[in-house]
Amino acid sequence: YYKVGERLAKEQTEELAEMVDQGVIFVSRDDHSVYVKHISHQLDLVLLDKHLLEREIADIFQIALTRRMQAFFEQPVKIVYDKVQEDVFTLTEYLWQDFARVKALARRRHADHSLANHSVNSGFTGLLLHILRLPGDYNKEPKNRQPFDRTALGFFLHDMGMSKVPAFIRDKTKPLTPDERQKIQTHTLSGYEMIARLDIKYPEMENCVNHHHERVDGSGYPQHISASGISDIGLVCAVADSFCAMTSNRPYAKAMDPMAASKALCDDAKRYSTEVTNLLLNHMVNERR
């Protein structure tokens, strides 16, 4: 039907789908891993391909967004950011059709820590918690879609300032020196400055960048603000960021069991929102049933 390695034209794609429906051609899912890598370069196709399973689409989003985040951290300029935004908005369009789809995405956490992996893990987990917090009668009017889109971007890009921290500090296996710790703690300010340089005027992103290391008791950074001063999205992002860090293999620590990490965050009520940590723990309990 076509030569191996070549891409199908749009007309061929439509014709092939028609023949599959008719039972003339059968597509083997043994080739799924190859197809996933192919379609991840054209992410909007997941909205059109009705033969993909939910778990397969989750795989595609993980691959595509990890690659996109890696490209952005290597070159954090407007043209690369625009591609990140395009892909994240494809994800939110997919979720907008059915919020329950976020559960399959939340299972696609990378096991090993890297800046790109952590951003994708936090993006999926943040969206899960955000959706769990929405009221049952949430109205999916177009006017509500914009804040949802921007919130998703905030979860994926909350740690953008870490790209300005030298890799040898981010990946250090030994305890940080006071100077190195200071450099780490400036990443929230660096992220805010990057938002300004990229001319992004989304308050949801600003809150994720500025508040994900603030703590309910005021012990966080950079502003040491307490519960009343932390945005709702900041409270969610703080839990997502910490949970994803705790449950991935880092240079200085092995991954915690997700259930144990959820319980630890719930027990740390002085620093984290109990509403958000309870949602996370309940979700983990339901996932194990």
Side-chain angles (χ1 to χ4, degrees):
Y1 189 74
Y2 77 105
K3 292 181 180 179
V4 174
E6 291 184 357
R7 299 184 70 169
L8 289 169
K10 183 179 179 182
E11 295 76 15
Q12 285 179 297
T13 304
E14 293 170 353
E15 185 180 35
L16 183 60
E18 200 173 307
M19 288 191 286
V20 169
D21 288 337
Q22 294 169 357
V24 177
I25 288 181
F26 296 89
V27 180
S28 170
R29 290 201 177 272
D30 291 341
D31 294 330
H32 170 61
S33 60
V34 177
Y35 180 58
V36 161
K37 291 178 182 176
H38 165 75
I39 200 173
S40 69
H41 288 273
Q42 238 180 317
L43 197 51
D44 58 328
L45 290 179
V46 302
L47 303 175
L48 304 174
D49 191 333
K50 301 189 185 308
H51 298 284
L52 287 168
L53 302 177
E54 192 173 271
R55 59 180 172 78
E56 295 171 339
I57 292 175
D59 289 338
I60 291 166
F61 274 118
Q62 186 202 48
I63 293 169
L65 288 166
T66 304
R67 183 174 58 242
R68 195 67 83 191
M69 294 305 303
Q70 182 63 41
F72 175 73
F73 291 134
E74 290 174 357
Q75 194 177 12
V77 295
K78 189 68 165 64
I79 191 171
V80 185
Y81 164 78
D82 288 343
K83 292 178 179 177
V84 171
Q85 177 172 289
E86 181 181 341
D87 281 356
V88 171
F89 285 2
T90 299
L91 171 65
T92 53
E93 183 174 349
Y94 172 71
L95 291 175
W96 195 253
Q97 297 168 12
D98 183 357
F99 281 155
R101 292 169 169 173
V102 76
K103 293 180 181 179
L105 291 164
R107 297 185 197 109
R108 266 63 183 180
R109 291 192 309 274
H110 292 284
D112 297 320
H113 179 87
S114 73
L115 189 49
N117 287 359
H118 177 67
S119 298
V120 172
N121 289 356
S122 299
F124 289 161
T125 304
L127 278 168
L128 169 74
L129 296 172
H130 179 63
I131 288 172
L132 289 175
R133 291 182 79 238
L134 294 176
D137 59 349
Y138 185 74
N139 191 348
K140 288 188 180 180
E141 289 184 3
K143 66 179 181 181
N144 294 331
R145 172 70 189 277
Q146 191 176 69
F148 184 70
D149 289 344
R150 294 175 174 181
T151 296
L153 270 175
F155 291 140
F156 279 96
L157 290 166
H158 75 285
D159 244 356
M160 61 199 301
M162 286 294 285
S163 63
K164 300 300 182 183
V165 177
F168 80 88
I169 295 178
R170 295 201 311 259
D171 301 333
K172 192 173 179 181
T173 57
K174 296 179 180 179
L176 297 174
T177 66
D179 183 56
E180 290 168 342
R181 187 169 297 279
Q182 178 63 29
K183 282 185 169 62
I184 289 284
Q185 293 190 350
T186 60
H187 80 274
T188 51
L189 176 59
S190 297
Y192 185 75
E193 291 171 346
M194 289 171 70
I195 288 176
R197 282 198 302 273
L198 293 168
D199 196 29
I200 304 169
K201 297 180 173 65
Y202 298 162
E204 296 87 352
M205 282 188 64
E206 292 180 2
N207 286 335
C208 282
V209 168
N210 289 335
H211 294 166
H212 69 277
H213 279 294
E214 298 291 358
R215 298 294 178 255
V216 172
D217 63 355
S219 64
Y221 67 87
Q223 296 174 281
H224 305 287
I225 54 179
S226 55
S228 59
I230 305 172
S231 62
D232 282 349
I233 189 176
L235 293 170
V236 173
C237 197
V239 173
D241 174 75
S242 293
F243 174 76
C244 292
M246 294 161 74
T247 55
S248 62
N249 294 309
R250 293 163 286 170
Y252 54 88
K254 287 191 175 294
M256 284 181 68
D257 173 76
M259 183 66 76
S262 301
K263 288 179 179 176
L265 289 169
C266 267
D267 291 341
D268 199 354
K270 287 185 178 180
R271 299 199 304 150
Y272 295 94
S273 162
T274 53
E275 178 204 358
V276 180
T277 56
N278 282 331
L279 284 173
L280 176 61
L281 181 58
N282 289 337
H283 169 76
M284 298 307 303
V285 170
N286 291 333
E287 283 287 285
R288 290 204 172 181
R289 284 177 180 168

